[in-house]
Amino acid sequence: MTMALRAVRLTAMCVSLGLPLSACQAFLPRDETPVIPVSLAAAPPIGSSGQKLDAQGFPMIGHKPRGAMAQVSDEEVTKTETQYSRRAAGNARASDAGYRRDVAELQALAARQQAEADRALAAPAEDASSRAR
């Protein structure tokens, strides 16, 4: 009797799990064509990485390129270096003066806040002493 009862329970459990899962098939696509999400469809195409490929299109691992990629000229490097060094020198002078000005402003602000805090702490003590009289 217990074997029959177990078989009935097992069958009922399989049916109760199988029916909801079989209903999910209606939401799946009916054909096997892949669906590309809109965010990926708008992505720019991927350019060549420069990896050498064999006749079948597979990458040739370990093969070095025959020539170097195009390099910038020496004149362009010199021009860029001088441009950056001029900017760095100008920023160093400007930032040093700006730093000293910012420090002075912050020190003045700290002094004002300290004076206000001292006055605020002294005022309640005076009020309490006058109330006690």
Side-chain angles (χ1 to χ4, degrees):
M1 180 78 169
T2 59
M3 281 300 259
L5 187 58
R6 282 188 179 174
V8 169
R9 285 183 182 169
L10 182 63
T11 305
M13 185 178 68
C14 289
V15 168
S16 65
L17 289 177
L19 286 176
L21 292 177
S22 65
C24 292
Q25 288 180 346
F27 296 112
L28 298 175
R30 301 213 183 265
D31 56 352
E32 297 298 321
T33 57
V35 177
I36 299 174
V38 177
S39 60
L40 293 178
I46 298 172
S48 172
S49 66
Q51 174 72 45
K52 294 183 101 185
L53 305 177
D54 64 4
Q56 295 153 343
F58 293 105
M60 298 173 67
I61 308 297
H63 285 268
K64 306 271 191 235
R66 291 196 179 128
M69 298 294 290
Q71 303 292 314
V72 294
S73 65
D74 291 336
E75 294 83 25
E76 188 70 26
V77 171
T78 306
K79 178 179 150 188
T80 305
E81 283 178 349
T82 55
Q83 178 184 4
Y84 286 146
S85 64
R86 270 189 263 131
R87 280 194 187 159
N91 287 342
R93 277 182 263 128
S95 65
D96 186 42
Y99 173 76
R100 292 183 191 283
R101 184 181 62 246
D102 291 344
V103 168
E105 287 176 9
L106 291 173
Q107 286 173 341
L109 176 66
R112 280 195 310 265
Q113 288 179 344
Q114 185 64 45
E116 288 175 14
D118 290 342
R119 279 193 305 271
L121 290 173
E126 291 172 3
D127 291 340
S129 64
S130 65
R131 286 183 196 157
R133 292 183 200 166

